[in-house]
Amino acid sequence: MAKIKKKGTSGQAKNFITRTQAVRKLQISLPDFRRLCIFKGIYPREPRNKKKASKSSTPNTTFYYTKDIQFLLHEPLLRKFRDQKALAKKIARSLGRGEVGDASRLEKNHAPKLTLDHIIKERYPTFIDALRDLDDALSLLFLFANLPSSAHVPPKTIALCQRVTHEFQHYLITTNSLRKSFLSIKGIYYQATIQGQDIMWLVPYRFVQRVNGDVDYRIMATFVEFYTTLLGFVNYRLYSTLGLRYPPKFDTRSDENGAELAAFTLEGRTVGEAPKAIEANKQTNKTSNQEVSREVQAKVDKVIKSAGLDRTKDEQVVESTEEASDAIDKFEPTAPEADTLPQPDLSGDQAGSLFAPFVFYVSREAPKAPLEFILRSFGCTRIGWDAVLGDGAFTHDETDTRITHQIVDRPSLPEASLPAIPAASEGAVQKVRPGTRIPGRTYVQPQWVWDCINEGKLLRADLYAPGATLPPHLSPWVKPTRGGYDPRASLAEQEEEGEAELDEESDSDEEMEDATEEKKADTKEESEAESEDEEDINGGMDVAETDDDESGSEEEEDEDFGGFEEEAASESEDEEEAARTQHQKELEAEAAGLPFSSGGAAGESSKKKSAQAKKIASKKRKEEEELERQKMMMSRKKRKLLEKMIYSNKKQSEEAAKLRSKRRKLEKGEKGGQK
């Protein structure tokens, strides 16, 4: 007889453990258990069957893997948590006795310090793993760097987040690793490429933040503690690869004056030689690989010579492989109807030379911090701003003749509404009256900087002039798909055949309907007014209808009845019906007071449009019939899959058509306004 298994010793009951059981097994409190799980990267799991995984009759909601909890039993942080708990008991006992000095001494000298270095090394065995997990870390640290200090968020945490994020930004500036950025509703998205890894993070706008009480800041502070340690390790590794000293020199007084990035001074190897050091490492690796390949090729040549084979083709292959160029290849589609291939990003040299020859001045209303970071990341070394925005500027004088571009975020106002500027005292920087333009300088709005770096080239500055309607700011990560709406392309390139004519007809029909409804409403009001007058004349008594009205209504009903001839309608009848509807539209337009065409060129154009619409409809009908024939030959599974694909494509095409019609109306309105 087989041995009976005991319940809860195998299957899901053995693989999963509840949170209460895990806390009891580790002998720590629930907040410490949460902190430990965040540090170690252990998260709740969802079993397939909660009833089988739960060992009690009451349904549990939170489960963990038993192996994960078993792994936590050997964590050195458990002893630290227990030491903290014992110290808290001693401090509470001293305070209960009134020994305040002993309590402060215990807290100051005997508090255990938590170090997460071993956890970072354990969770990220290679540096590439740490770079891949840097997206959420940067987003959270930049968020806390912009928060105001409060009881939940201490000033030390905010200062630490600001410091490690500025250090990371300095590395991106030095190596020109920033590639793309996008202004969204949530904040500013950035993307950088470090050692072949694309890292994207979000930086909130610098508005006044209101710290709400519905957010658990204890959990977020635990993540911040872990992420600051992680980013510190990453910054140290990145700086050491460039030969720079870490941490960089930090000027506290300059930081208090609002210098931010300028408060840091990089030391070690010359900052300008950092990209050269990266290229030197690549060249050494390349030469070593070439030496190895030459040794292998020499051995292969000996074998070929001993075999007596011709090696001209092999020489050509080797020569072609040895030729290497640093230029980025451009991928072109093989056929015009093929999909557009994703193009590679900018190289470091191209990014570092985009804004290098220019001198920028940031006006007071423009966001200084993101503009300074982006301009410096793309090669600009001389950036000035007003002294109110803080220290670290190339110049505080707006009238400096070296300035080539000025970033302005306010429209041009009339001179009468501009305030007067008082005379500058001796030694003070000369100020410029707001709204005035210095000749020989290019004035642009901040969006010009973002669009230039996303396009990888300098765009026309006149399109981004102060007060001008800006072009659409598009996300650099959303690529146009076939059949979708592309805001960069013109309407003629992406609209279907006859789409514009059909849209114009529908618009004209809507205008006619609106005009007729207005006319009917006016006539109804007039008839109501006349009936009120008749009632006043007749003393409020109803007047009986005559037999002529009844006979007229019967005749109208007889005229409306068309019999059963509609089933065998021919093309001539269709033409008569079209002419009748055209005549009806002309009568409605005449009644509404709108211009109409009784014949001539306008009538011919309307006939051509209607004929073209009929051709398009017949073509679509034939395509649908052909598709139905093809679906009959498919299996049921493939037919269902095809129907889903057709449905999704149709939905996408309808959305694209709506966007195109909206754009068509806007362009039509702009042309009408220009006229």
Side-chain angles (χ1 to χ4, degrees):
M1 183 176 179
K3 188 177 180 181
I4 300 174
K5 286 186 178 181
K6 190 177 180 181
K7 186 179 179 181
T9 57
S10 63
Q12 295 191 42
K14 183 181 179 182
N15 295 334
F16 293 93
I17 186 173
T18 63
R19 188 179 66 181
T20 307
Q21 293 171 347
V23 170
R24 288 177 182 173
K25 191 170 187 177
L26 296 174
Q27 297 180 1
I28 56 176
S29 62
L30 183 59
D32 290 341
F33 175 73
R34 286 173 178 163
R35 288 187 68 193
L36 187 61
C37 288
I38 291 171
F39 289 152
K40 299 289 287 186
I42 295 173
Y43 301 98
R45 306 293 179 175
E46 187 72 18
R48 293 181 180 178
N49 193 338
K50 287 187 176 182
K51 189 175 181 181
K52 290 182 179 180
S54 179
K55 299 176 184 177
S56 60
S57 58
T58 57
N60 296 288
T61 55
T62 308
F63 292 89
Y64 292 87
Y65 282 143
T66 308
K67 289 184 178 180
D68 291 343
I69 304 303
Q70 198 75 20
F71 178 66
L72 290 178
L73 287 171
H74 309 285
E75 176 56 41
L77 288 179
L78 281 176
R79 177 178 287 183
K80 298 289 184 181
F81 289 157
R82 289 165 186 157
D83 292 345
Q84 285 180 347
K85 191 174 182 180
L87 181 66
K89 288 182 180 179
K90 291 179 181 179
I91 292 172
R93 191 183 301 116
S94 298
L95 291 175
R97 293 174 181 173
E99 301 172 353
V100 181
D102 292 345
S104 61
R105 178 180 54 81
L106 287 171
E107 186 177 5
K108 184 178 180 180
N109 299 329
H110 296 277
K113 295 181 180 180
L114 298 179
T115 56
L116 306 178
D117 300 350
H118 66 285
I119 295 181
I120 299 295
K121 296 177 183 178
E122 177 187 304
R123 290 185 61 177
Y124 306 106
T126 62
F127 185 61
I128 299 298
D129 296 332
L131 291 177
R132 288 173 181 169
D133 201 23
L134 212 58
D135 298 354
D136 295 336
L138 290 172
S139 298
L140 186 64
L141 292 179
F142 273 101
L143 171 64
F144 267 75
N146 293 323
L147 285 179
S149 60
S150 62
H152 303 288
V153 186
K156 289 184 179 180
T157 304
I158 297 173
L160 180 60
C161 293
Q162 289 177 351
R163 186 159 183 173
V164 293
T165 52
H166 287 331
E167 291 170 357
F168 182 73
Q169 285 180 332
H170 267 291
Y171 171 80
L172 300 179
I173 291 170
T174 305
T175 57
N176 305 117
S177 300
L178 191 66
R179 290 293 174 264
K180 297 175 183 177
S181 182
F182 177 63
L183 300 167
S184 70
I185 299 174
K186 297 180 181 179
I188 305 175
Y189 284 93
Y190 296 97
Q191 182 181 353
T193 303
I194 302 175
Q195 296 187 8
Q197 302 297 323
D198 292 335
I199 303 169
M200 185 188 297
W201 68 96
L202 176 66
V203 180
Y205 295 113
R206 294 197 172 182
F207 297 139
V208 178
Q209 304 286 343
R210 295 183 180 179
V211 180
N212 297 326
D214 55 350
V215 179
D216 194 350
Y217 283 94
R218 293 179 302 172
I219 295 177
M220 296 184 70
T222 306
F223 277 102
V224 169
E225 184 179 0
F226 176 74
Y227 285 150
T228 49
T229 310
L230 171 62
L231 190 56
F233 269 83
V234 172
N235 287 343
Y236 172 74
R237 178 67 179 271
L238 294 175
Y239 274 63
S240 60
T241 54
L242 299 181
L244 300 175
R245 181 182 174 185
Y246 185 82
K249 189 177 179 181
F250 179 67
D251 190 356
T252 308
R253 182 178 297 178
S254 180
D255 184 63
E256 290 175 356
N257 294 332
E260 296 183 350
L261 286 174
F264 293 85
T265 305
L266 303 184
E267 296 178 344
R269 184 183 288 143
T270 309
V271 178
E273 296 178 358
K276 297 180 182 178
I278 298 175
E279 294 295 330
N281 292 333
K282 291 181 180 178
Q283 291 294 332
T284 53
N285 295 332
K286 185 177 176 182
T287 53
S288 61
N289 293 333
Q290 286 180 357
E291 290 175 359
V292 173
S293 62
R294 286 173 184 172
E295 292 177 359
V296 174
Q297 186 61 38
K299 294 178 181 179
V300 173
D301 292 343
K302 290 181 181 179
V303 175
I304 291 173
K305 286 180 180 179
S306 61
L309 299 175
D310 190 9
R311 52 180 293 275
T312 53
K313 295 181 180 179
D314 297 335
E315 287 178 354
Q316 294 175 0
V317 172
V318 172
E319 289 175 359
S320 63
T321 53
E322 288 181 355
E323 291 177 358
S325 60
D326 295 334
I328 296 179
D329 297 333
K330 298 295 182 182
F331 302 133
E332 297 181 358
T334 56
E337 67 274 4
D339 294 335
T340 56
L341 299 173
Q343 300 297 331
D345 296 333
L346 290 172
S347 63
D349 296 337
Q350 292 174 342
S353 61
L354 188 62
F355 298 130
F358 305 132
V359 180
F360 283 86
Y361 186 86
V362 182
S363 299
R364 289 185 298 173
E365 70 278 0
K368 186 206 77 169
L371 284 171
E372 182 189 4
F373 170 55
I374 289 178
L375 291 174
R376 292 191 186 278
S377 298
F378 283 83
C380 184
T381 57
R382 297 176 292 178
I383 307 171
W385 54 77
D386 196 272
V388 180
L389 299 178
D391 293 344
F394 169 70
T395 179
H396 295 299
D397 187 8
E398 191 175 351
T399 60
D400 196 335
T401 56
R402 293 171 293 181
I403 298 172
T404 59
H405 291 71
Q406 183 167 348
I407 301 174
V408 183
D409 200 11
R410 58 185 169 209
S412 56
L413 300 173
E415 295 185 0
S417 62
L418 298 177
I421 297 296
S425 60
E426 295 182 0
V429 177
Q430 183 180 359
K431 293 186 178 180
V432 180
R433 188 178 183 184
T436 58
R437 299 288 180 261
I438 299 175
R441 186 179 298 181
T442 304
Y443 288 84
V444 290
Q445 298 189 44
Q447 185 182 327
W448 179 78
V449 179
W450 271 270
D451 289 350
C452 284
I453 66 172
N454 291 334
E455 291 292 333
K457 60 182 179 180
L458 296 175
L459 301 177
R460 289 173 51 187
D462 57 338
L463 300 177
Y464 299 85
T469 303
L470 295 171
H473 181 57
L474 305 175
S475 173
W477 298 286
V478 178
K479 302 299 180 183
T481 57
R482 183 186 293 179
Y485 174 69
D486 186 9
R488 300 175 185 271
S490 61
L491 285 173
E493 295 177 0
Q494 53 184 330
E495 65 184 3
E496 297 178 358
E497 185 182 357
E499 183 181 348
E501 290 79 2
L502 293 174
D503 195 12
E504 288 178 1
E505 286 184 2
S506 62
D507 292 341
S508 60
D509 292 342
E510 289 177 0
E511 291 177 359
M512 294 285 289
E513 289 177 1
D514 295 339
T516 51
E517 287 177 359
E518 291 177 0
K519 190 69 176 179
K520 287 178 181 178
D522 295 338
T523 53
K524 187 176 181 181
E525 290 176 358
E526 292 176 0
S527 61
E528 287 178 357
E530 290 176 359
S531 61
E532 288 177 0
D533 295 338
E534 289 177 358
E535 287 179 358
D536 294 337
I537 294 169
N538 298 326
M541 297 177 64
D542 295 333
V543 181
E545 294 180 354
T546 59
D547 296 336
D548 297 336
D549 296 336
E550 292 178 358
S551 62
S553 62
E554 289 177 359
E555 289 176 359
E556 288 177 358
E557 290 178 359
D558 294 339
E559 288 177 359
D560 293 338
F561 179 70
F564 301 100
E565 295 179 358
E566 294 179 359
E567 296 180 359
S570 60
E571 294 181 358
S572 60
E573 292 176 352
D574 292 339
E575 293 177 357
E576 292 176 2
E577 185 67 24
R580 225 179 287 124
T581 54
Q582 179 68 20
H583 182 63
Q584 181 67 23
K585 287 181 181 179
E586 291 175 357
L587 292 176
E588 291 175 356
E590 185 180 2
L594 297 174
F596 67 96
S597 58
S598 59
E604 292 178 0
S605 63
S606 62
K607 288 180 180 178
K608 287 181 180 179
K609 288 180 181 178
S610 61
Q612 190 175 5
K614 287 181 180 179
K615 287 181 180 179
I616 294 169
S618 63
K619 187 178 179 181
K620 287 184 177 180
R621 200 182 307 114
K622 289 179 181 178
E623 290 178 356
E624 290 175 357
E625 291 175 357
E626 183 64 25
L627 183 62
E628 289 295 329
R629 291 194 201 97
Q630 293 177 359
K631 285 165 65 176
M632 291 172 63
M633 306 298 294
M634 294 182 180
S635 62
R636 184 175 181 180
K637 185 177 180 180
K638 292 182 178 179
R639 187 166 62 249
K640 293 288 184 183
L641 182 62
L642 179 63
E643 288 176 355
K644 288 181 181 179
M645 292 169 62
I646 292 171
Y647 175 76
S648 61
N649 292 338
K650 186 178 179 182
K651 192 174 182 182
Q652 182 183 5
S653 62
E654 288 177 355
E655 292 177 357
K658 286 181 181 179
L659 293 172
R660 285 195 294 269
S661 64
K662 188 176 181 181
R663 180 177 173 181
R664 199 177 291 109
K665 290 177 183 177
L666 289 172
E667 290 181 355
K668 191 176 180 181
E670 289 177 359
K671 290 180 181 178
Q674 291 176 359
K675 291 179 181 179

